[in-house]
Amino acid sequence: MKKKTVFIVQAAVIAAVYAALTYAAAMAGLAYGNIQFRFSEALTILAAFTPAAIPGLTVGCLLSNITSPYGIVDVICGTLATLIAAYLSYKTRKITFKGLPLLSAIFPVITNAVIVGLEITLLMPEGFKLTAFLICAAEVALGELIICYALGIPLYVAIKKLGVDKYLK
């Protein structure tokens, strides 16, 4: 297959799996809000393997946020947070600790904490308050941290161990 076709297929599969996993988390009440555990965020580690993860994760997030209770604001802000995180994760993929891209896994935590935390705080009835923002950002960060490191890093290890990474270049 041509490189461009492989890139498009990889991005599309990542987007579809991300959206499906987010909808599964939404059915469990875990996908939206300041306390969220999107299983799909484990896929952000795929940016350490392939640049196709950047559009894949971004489109997957956009599709997922269409059903967000925060509406178009979440579609824009959440998608932007994912795009920035995926790009930074890809750019730092070669920085590893004991063979693990631990730095790549932190960007979804940081970008979602700041951008989604700010989004949620601004949409609160009482408006922006610094204390509320810090609490929301910390809650979003905690959920992201758990998913990205407890699920994302083991996913990275499994992909490497199974040799699947050779298909993700």
Side-chain angles (χ1 to χ4, degrees), residues 45 88-89 91-93 95-97 100-108 110 149 153:
I45 202 64
L88 293 172
S89 294
K91 286 298 190 181
T92 58
R93 71 194 180 281
I95 302 169
T96 62
F97 179 74
L100 299 174
L102 299 180
L103 184 60
S104 289
I106 199 68
F107 290 110
I110 295 168
Y149 285 90
I153 295 298

Side-chain angles (χ1 to χ4, degrees), residues 49-66:
F49 291 109
T50 176
I54 299 169
L57 294 166
T58 303
V59 170
C61 183
L62 184 141
L63 294 172
S64 300
N65 287 349
I66 288 172

Side-chain angles (χ1 to χ4, degrees), residues 1-13 52 169:
M1 247 192 291
K2 291 184 177 183
K3 276 188 171 186
K4 192 173 189 175
T5 303
V6 170
F7 182 92
I8 292 168
V9 169
Q10 286 179 350
V13 169
K169 303 290 178 196

Side-chain angles (χ1 to χ4, degrees), residues 34-146:
N34 50 326
I35 299 174
Q36 55 182 267
F37 293 94
R38 284 189 180 191
F39 316 124
S40 53
E41 287 295 301
L43 299 178
T44 60
I45 202 64
L46 296 177
F49 291 109
T50 176
I54 299 169
L57 294 166
T58 303
V59 170
C61 183
L62 184 141
L63 294 172
S64 300
N65 287 349
I66 288 172
T67 60
S68 169
Y70 297 102
I72 191 68
V73 175
D74 201 23
V75 172
I76 295 166
C77 295
T79 302
L80 178 64
T82 297
L83 173 62
I84 294 167
Y87 176 78
L88 293 172
S89 294
Y90 177 74
K91 286 298 190 181
T92 58
R93 71 194 180 281
K94 293 180 182 174
I95 302 169
T96 62
F97 179 74
K98 295 190 177 187
L100 299 174
L102 299 180
L103 184 60
S104 289
I106 199 68
F107 290 110
V109 177
I110 295 168
T111 60
N112 280 288
V114 173
I115 295 172
V116 175
L118 183 61
E119 166 196 340
I120 292 169
T121 307
L122 289 172
L123 292 174
M124 288 181 168
E126 61 272 11
F128 181 84
K129 297 218 185 310
L130 182 59
T131 305
F133 165 70
L134 294 174
I135 291 168
C136 278
E139 290 170 336
V140 170
L142 181 61
E144 282 288 319
L145 189 70
I146 291 168

